[in-house]
């Protein structure tokens, strides 16, 4: 029998993985379960329910208590919740409920009240934001604490940015603090943020709302105003052992969750939401991070669902801020809408390694697995895997693009030329992509497009058990990747230019060209 695994555990919530055969985000059939407390003698209790998803969150647990979990087809699991050193109610510190979004004075009073509440939490304790609508300027969390968003709680940012705090580009030791698209840059602080903390948990059934649509954030996506770039929804900087459990985060001013320089991060059972036309509202962007797990999370956003990054080399070769990302696992997630399901880059100059997306559902995303880089980035992308994933209504299932036309010079000839260029520190490398047991339904443009550099071809791509079930009859010919000189495509298979592909079904590899003008040489 299969043993359930504990993905994350706090004093009041447990995230379990129940990987029945065929389960992706959803179980194929609802699974009956039983949870029993083993402490308290006659006060012990039993709870029964149905698990409709592969990742199940058990809420409302009691700290320091032993439990037994049972589900048909699984071994019995016993576990113990950790203790809580003390419970602090944020309402006891003078929070004002239901103030107007543009009430800057009220939002400042609430931010000050929350700061006092955070300070009052004992080491290993919990701060509860109770049911209600609470509007506050950005709050900074500390380590060795839990922020618990109660069911019915909405912690939201104000619509005004007058007096909004700013994170500088670097801290006192010269390390990157504020950032924008992979470079040090002053940015407005996220509504909830933490810098250089350990052992932090953010959890609950409540909501973090960035109020992106309520202010002017979405009207200046690439600008600097007031000396800073737009804030994230949740920004975690240089922190370790962070757990995110169960909450909904929506309407971020820019990237929704941005872990930057973090280690040992666990996220399970989240809902990450933004309108489809909101600019750069990526769902979850781990940058220069190690050991990250994203599981059982639902995405519906205005840009990439998950974008794995590692900083960007500056125009003058600046690289002291760069650090690799290594070890990101994405399991049993649902990507309902977004530019890409699992994306690598384009900021990848520090190197991105050992990334896996497994047992997920991607529905209506523009692309499924997407790698994007360009000359000038440098860095290596290696060991990327997609396994047991359903792509339904995805326009281009797989893509690796080394001519991505980002930045002001993205359309310059030296970036877009298909002629061989000299190798150097700015030459990006892609080595190692595995795709296995992927099902494509309602395909629009192409099953795969792999466009490498002639001086640095994409290497070691292995595709097996790829099935194209159906095509989108309403689709129209469209260039499938964001590079110049790429022809429109419709219902095509796997196209290759300057890439080394091994496929167990040679019939999936097309002889058609990607570029409008075929390259001078061929490499496959």
């Amino acid at each position: 029998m299969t043993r359930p695994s504990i993905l994350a555990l706090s004093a009041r919530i447990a995230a379990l993985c129940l990987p029945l055969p065929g389960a992706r985000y959803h179980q194929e059939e609802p699974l009956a379960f039983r949870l029993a407390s083993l402490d308290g003698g006659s006060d012990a209790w039993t709870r029964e329910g149905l698990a409709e998803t592969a990742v199940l969150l058990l809420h409302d647990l009691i700290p320091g208590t032993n439990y037994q979990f049972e589900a048909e087809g699984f071994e019995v699991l016993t576990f113990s919740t950790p203790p809580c050193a003390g419970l602090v109610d944020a309402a006891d510190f003078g929070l004002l409920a239901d103030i107007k979004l543009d009430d800057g004075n009220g939002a400042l009073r609430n931010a000050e009240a929350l700061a006092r509440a955070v300070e009052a939490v004992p080491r290993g304790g919990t701060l509860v934001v109770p049911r209600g609508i609470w509007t506050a300027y950005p709050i900074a969390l500390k380590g060795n604490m839990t922020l618990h968003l109660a069911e019915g709680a909405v912690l939201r940012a104000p619509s005004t940015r007058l007096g909004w705090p700013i994170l500088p580009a670097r801290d006192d030791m010269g390390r990157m603090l504020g950032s924008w698209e992979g470079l040090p840059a002053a940015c407005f602080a996220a509504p909830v943020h933490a810098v250089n903390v350990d052992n932090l948990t953010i959890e609950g059934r409540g909501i973090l709302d960035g109020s992106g649509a309520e202010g002017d954030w979405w009207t200046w996506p690439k600008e600097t105003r007031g000396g800073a770039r737009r804030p994230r929804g949740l920004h975690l900087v240089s922190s370790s052992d962070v757990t995110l459990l169960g909450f909904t985060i929506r309407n971020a001013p820019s990237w929704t969750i941005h872990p930057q320089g973090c280690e040992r991060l666990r996220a399970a059972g989240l809902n990450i939401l933004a309108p489809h036309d909101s600019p750069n509202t990526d769902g979850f962007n781990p940058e220069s991070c190690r050991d990250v797990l994203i599981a059982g999370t639902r995405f519906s956003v205005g840009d990439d669902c998950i974008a794995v990054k590692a900083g960007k080399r500056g125009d003058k070769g600046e690289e002291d801020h760069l650090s690799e990302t290594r070890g990101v696992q994405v399991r049993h997630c649902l990507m309902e809408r977004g530019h890409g399901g699992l994306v690598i880059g384009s900021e990848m100059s520090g190197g991105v390694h050992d990334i896996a997306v497994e047992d997920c559902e991607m529905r209506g995303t523009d692309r499924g697995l997407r790698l994007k880089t360009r000359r000038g980035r440098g860095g290596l992308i290696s060991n990327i895997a997609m396994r047991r994933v359903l792509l339904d209504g995805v326009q281009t299932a797989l893509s690796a693009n080394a001519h991505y036309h980002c930045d002001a010079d993205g359309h310059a000839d030296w970036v877009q030329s298909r002629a061989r260029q000299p190798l150097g520190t700015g030459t990006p490398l892609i080595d190692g992509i595995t795709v296995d047991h992927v099902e494509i339904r309602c395909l629009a443009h192409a099953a795969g497009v792999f466009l490498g550099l002639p001086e640095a071809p994409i290497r070691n791509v292995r595709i097996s058990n790829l099935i194209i079930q159906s095509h989108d009859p309403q689709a129209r010919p469209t260039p499938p990747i964001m590079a110049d000189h790429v022809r429109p495509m419709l219902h095509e298979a796997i196209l290759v230019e300057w890439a080394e592909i091994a496929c167990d079904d040679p019939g999936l590899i097309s002889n058609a060209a990607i570029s409008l003008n075929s390259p001078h040489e061929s490499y496959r």
Side-chain angles (χ1 to χ4, degrees):
M1 298 178 72
T2 304
R3 181 177 176 81
S5 59
I6 299 178
L7 302 177
L9 183 64
S10 73
R12 293 172 177 83
I13 301 177
L16 307 184
C17 185
L18 307 172
L20 285 175
R24 295 186 177 105
Y25 176 77
H26 295 95
Q27 299 283 8
E28 290 193 330
E29 297 290 341
L31 176 67
F33 71 85
R34 178 177 179 271
L35 178 69
S37 70
L38 301 180
D39 300 336
S42 60
D43 294 328
W45 51 263
T46 298
R47 180 192 308 169
E48 296 182 348
L50 291 175
E52 297 184 349
T53 54
V55 174
L56 173 66
L57 264 62
L58 302 173
H59 291 269
D60 304 320
L61 304 181
I62 300 170
T65 301
N66 296 308
Y67 290 94
Q68 179 173 289
F69 178 86
E70 300 176 67
E72 184 176 355
F74 290 90
E75 294 181 14
V76 174
L77 173 70
T78 58
F79 65 92
S80 301
T81 53
C84 175
L87 196 64
V88 174
D89 189 335
D92 293 340
F93 290 80
L95 278 181
L96 303 174
D98 302 321
I99 67 171
K100 294 181 179 180
L101 274 167
D102 61 356
D103 183 353
N105 290 329
L108 178 59
R109 286 183 59 182
N110 277 347
E112 293 171 344
L114 286 167
R116 293 193 299 271
V118 168
E119 183 62 27
V121 177
R123 182 182 180 90
T126 299
L127 172 62
V128 175
V129 177
R131 176 182 290 272
I133 298 176
W134 314 100
T135 304
Y137 276 118
I139 63 169
L141 301 179
K142 65 182 182 180
N144 297 294
M145 68 164 286
T146 294
L147 174 66
H148 185 93
L149 302 167
E151 186 171 9
V154 179
L155 180 58
R156 67 182 184 180
S159 59
T160 175
R161 55 186 168 86
L162 182 65
W164 195 291
I166 293 174
L167 290 180
R170 296 180 184 267
D171 63 15
D172 293 340
M173 299 180 65
R175 298 171 298 189
M176 185 166 70
L177 183 59
S179 69
W180 183 256
E181 294 186 347
L183 290 169
C187 64
F188 288 100
V192 176
H193 59 279
V195 178
N196 196 27
V197 306
D198 300 323
N199 301 309
L200 169 66
T201 296
I202 304 173
E203 65 174 25
R205 290 191 173 104
I207 297 171
L208 295 177
D209 193 324
S211 299
E214 307 301 330
D216 69 349
W217 301 116
W218 292 347
T219 67
W220 49 284
K222 299 291 185 180
E223 297 178 34
T224 297
R225 292 190 179 180
R229 296 283 193 165
R230 292 185 295 155
R232 318 312 187 251
L234 170 61
H235 198 182
L236 306 166
V237 183
S238 300
S239 298
S240 61
D241 299 297
V242 176
T243 301
L244 309 176
L245 282 173
F247 60 88
T248 294
I249 181 168
R250 66 190 185 193
N251 298 326
S254 62
W255 294 351
T256 304
I257 298 179
H258 182 202
Q260 174 186 315
C262 295
E263 296 186 353
R264 298 181 299 281
L265 172 66
R266 299 289 178 268
L270 306 181
N271 288 287
I272 299 177
L273 309 174
H276 70 93
D277 57 351
S278 53
N280 303 111
T281 52
D282 298 37
F284 201 113
N285 289 8
E287 180 173 22
S288 299
C289 293
R290 287 174 171 263
D291 188 9
V292 177
L293 173 65
I294 306 168
T297 290
R298 172 183 168 235
F299 297 85
S300 182
V301 294
D303 208 305
D304 295 326
C305 294
I306 298 174
V308 182
K309 300 176 180 291
K312 179 171 68 176
R313 184 171 274 102
D315 293 339
K316 299 178 182 179
E318 303 94 328
E319 59 180 21
D320 67 316
H321 61 288
L322 299 179
S323 181
E324 71 175 13
T325 289
R326 186 180 295 272
V328 178
Q329 300 178 61
V330 180
R331 302 178 189 165
H332 299 291
C333 289
L334 172 62
M335 293 78 167
E336 289 186 305
R337 188 183 58 220
H339 291 181
L342 189 283
V343 178
I344 314 294
S346 67
E347 303 92 326
M348 42 64 67
S349 300
V352 176
H353 314 285
D354 306 334
I355 313 299
V357 54
E358 298 175 323
D359 303 297
C360 290
E361 303 171 29
M362 301 181 183
R363 300 180 181 273
T365 59
D366 295 346
R367 297 163 186 87
L369 177 63
R370 182 187 189 192
L371 283 66
K372 52 185 183 178
T373 185
R374 48 154 286 183
R375 293 182 178 114
R377 286 284 193 261
L380 168 65
I381 297 173
S382 72
N383 193 23
I384 311 301
M386 171 183 271
R387 302 183 182 96
R388 301 177 303 280
V389 174
L390 171 64
L391 306 175
D392 191 351
V394 174
Q395 296 176 17
T396 299
L398 313 169
S399 68
N401 175 14
H403 293 271
Y404 184 62
H405 52 51
C406 56
D407 293 339
D409 61 349
H411 297 283
D413 184 66
W414 73 275
V415 176
Q416 294 298 330
S417 173
R418 304 304 195 264
R420 191 184 302 270
Q421 304 292 313
L423 292 169
T425 57
T427 305
L429 304 173
I430 300 174
D431 190 346
I433 302 172
T434 299
V435 176
D436 186 34
H437 283 93
V438 168
E439 179 183 349
I440 303 171
R441 301 176 188 170
C442 207
L443 176 68
H445 301 141
V449 178
F450 295 85
L451 176 60
L453 300 172
E455 67 270 22
I458 299 168
R459 298 186 183 274
N460 295 314
V461 180
R462 296 176 176 84
I463 300 174
S464 57
N465 301 297
L466 177 69
I467 298 175
I468 304 173
Q469 294 283 17
S470 60
H471 295 89
D472 179 3
Q474 304 299 319
R476 296 292 180 265
T478 303
I481 57 173
M482 296 177 67
D484 293 351
H485 319 304
V486 172
R487 65 179 179 84
M489 299 182 192
L490 177 67
H491 299 166
E492 301 204 34
I494 299 172
L495 295 99
V496 180
E497 200 168 289
W498 297 112
E500 174 191 284
I501 307 283
C503 182
D504 66 346
D505 183 355
L508 288 173
I509 306 297
S510 173
N511 289 321
I514 295 173
S515 300
L516 291 167
N517 298 312
S518 298
H520 300 297
E521 301 179 56
S522 177
Y523 182 89
R524 290 182 182 168

